[in-house]
Structure formats: C-alpha cells, structure tokens
Amino acid sequence: RGKRAFIAGVADDNGYGWAIAKSLAAAGAEILVGTWVPALNIFETSLRRGKFDESRVLPDGSLMEITKVYPLDAVYDSPEDVPEDVKSNKRYAGCTNWTVKEVAECVKHDFGTIDILVHSLANGPEVSKPLLETSRNGYLAAISASSYSFVSLLKHFVPIMNPGGATISLTYIASERIIPGYGGGMSSAKAALESDTRVLAFEAGRKHRVRVNTISAGPLRSRAAKAIGFIDMMIDYSLENAPLQKELSAEEVGNAAAFLASPLASAVTGAVIYVDNGLNAMGVGV
Ligand code: NAI
C-alpha cells in the first residue's frame, strides 16, 4: 500500500508545503492537505478552476492529485478554545471541524490512518517589529501559531499514525543566529520548534515509533516570506555568500522532505537538517 500524507499549511502553489506535497506525490504518496480557514475558499476555487494545473505537473507528466482539502486553524485545539469573534467571523462561520482535534478526527473517519505528517505553517503578527518592541501578545501569538501548533498536530495525529511514520516541520536559521528583520518572536518560535523536535522525537519515537525531524530551509519567495518584507535581500545574500551559489528551489526542500519521510531515513530522528545551499556553514560573508 502507498503511504498517506497530511500536509498542514498549503494555501497556494508558491510555498514549501506545496513543494513537499509534490515530492511526496511523485514518490507515490496519497496527499491530504490542511488549509488555513481564511485561505480555504480561494485555494479550493483556484484548484478547481485549474489555476494550479501547471504547478501540479509531476516528473512523470501526470498531475498531482490532492485527495482531500481540510480546513484548519492550528491556533485552536478544540471547539471550546475558539473565541466568539472568530466563531462569528464570516470567513470562519460557513466552515466546521477546523480545530486540530476535529481535523484529526475527520482524517481518522475518512481514511483511518496516515504515515506522514508535515507542518509547513507559521504566523507572527508582529514579525516586522524588532524583538525589543514586540508585545507579549505578539510574541505569544507567534509561538502559538508557529511552535505549539506542531506540538498540537503531533499530539492529535500520532494516535492515527502508523508505526514507522515520519513527521517534518520547517524551521529557519534565525533560531540560532541573529537575522535582523525576523522579529515579533518568530526567531524565538523557531528555537522552540527545534528544541521540541528533539523532545518530541524521543516521546513519539518511544511511544509510537514515529520519527520527528525539522528542515532548516533557505529563503524562498513564498506568500508568508513576502509578508515579512526582506525576502529578496535574503535571497541575494544567499546567492552571494552560500557555498552553492544558486537560487534555492522549493522542490529541493520538497525532495529533502521526501527523503526524511522515507525508509531511507529510518535512523534519522530529532534532527535539524539544513537545506539552504550550505549557507548555515559560513562564518563570514565572502
Ligand atoms: P506559505 O505562505 O506557503 O506557508 C505558510 C502557511 O501557513 C500558509 O498557507 C498559511 O495560510 C498557513 N497558516 C498561517 N497561520 C495558520 C494557522 N493558524 N493555521 C493553519 N495554517 C496557517 O509560506 P512558506 O514560507 O512556505 O512557509 C512554510 C514554512 O516554511 C513556515 O514554517 C516557514 O516559517 C518556513 N520557512 C520559510 C522560509 C522562506 O524563506 N519562505 C525559510 C525557512 C523556513
């Protein structure tokens, strides 16, 4: 039987989530995605109208099939956690079962089990503010959407993951080195995500034989990255300074994720894997 993957954080064809879905599909996996509720409508409409067809093409010429799109807001674990103003917000009102617990229940009901869980989402409302100017609420919101969201996804999905399964998240080197401009507590959120990768690798490994890794990816002009505001500068910086002087493609990160999710990586867990043209290894720019 082919493997089944749930990829949280796909809302267009520009980001790492989409590229990971494609690499997994190319390797024969069945693809389920979780799409942020406010982005769901436009994503599904675009998908239906064929707007993504060109980017759905797999190496063998076939088109990637997404078996099902689930609405998801990874900031809420169960319906009791959803505040009134969100419940009644018109972008959420027409939609049900999008808290993490409910999505896991729906996937279980529809498919029984999964083999691969991908977390490709982040949000920091104050990302453009330096850490020194970040509010407590902004900092906690960054951690909630970008770090705890992974703990919650794993907690709710691990019971329906087949032993030998794998989970992957996406992180950024701002967790360990100073990257001015990556503010709002997002650097802190990525540090938490990387630390949690180790602890969760232990807990999910011992309990369920599930592996937990994170990919520290280089800069990509995704929707989220464009919102931060300095992505073109980071891409130029990498082109100039990284050991491999080429633009990083989302597909390269997708392929690394497919490796990590496969039996080829059966002894790799608790790791931060750099897929960044080697930029992380540089000490000075040259
Ligand atoms: P993206 O915009 O394709 O993906 C982010 C996704 O998160 C979007 O689909 C958005 O709708 C979703 N999202 C935001 N809040 C959510 C919530 N509460 N619940 C559910 N979904 C939510 O952008 P990108 O850049 O591909 O981001 C994917 C991951 O890659 C993120 O973790 C990001 O930090 C990481 N990353 C990105 C880099 C880049 O240069 N683009 C570099 C290193 C890591």
Side-chain angles (χ1 to χ4, degrees), residues 8-18 34-39 72-76 92 119-123 144-146 149 169-173 182 186 190 193 215-226 228 231 234-235 248:
V10 180
D12 60 39
D13 58 350
N14 293 317
Y16 282 133
W18 177 272
T35 301
W36 196 30
V37 185
L72 167 71
D73 193 322
V75 157
Y76 305 108
Y92 285 78
H119 174 283
S120 182
L121 63 97
N123 199 10
S144 172
S146 314
S149 55
S169 67
L170 274 302
T171 186
Y172 185 49
I173 195 162
Y182 198 73
M186 278 306 298
K190 290 307 193 189
L193 182 67
I215 292 176
S216 186
L220 174 76
R221 216 176 270 101
S222 65
R223 189 189 169 93
K226 280 191 270 188
I228 302 173
I231 187 66
M234 297 318 283
I235 290 172
L248 179 71

Side-chain angles (χ1 to χ4, degrees), residues 30 32 63-64 66 98 123 136 179 187 232 240-241:
E30 176 176 22
L32 314 176
L63 296 190
M64 167 172 72
I66 298 177
W98 43 261
N123 199 10
R136 185 180 298 268
I179 310 278
S187 56
D232 291 314
E240 220 163 279
N241 296 292

Side-chain angles (χ1 to χ4, degrees), residues 18-19 21-29 53-65:
W18 177 272
K22 275 182 76 176
S23 293
L24 293 174
D53 282 1
E54 248 173 70
S55 12
R56 282 173 62 210
V57 179
L58 298 175
D60 71 356
S62 68
L63 296 190
M64 167 172 72
E65 288 299 334

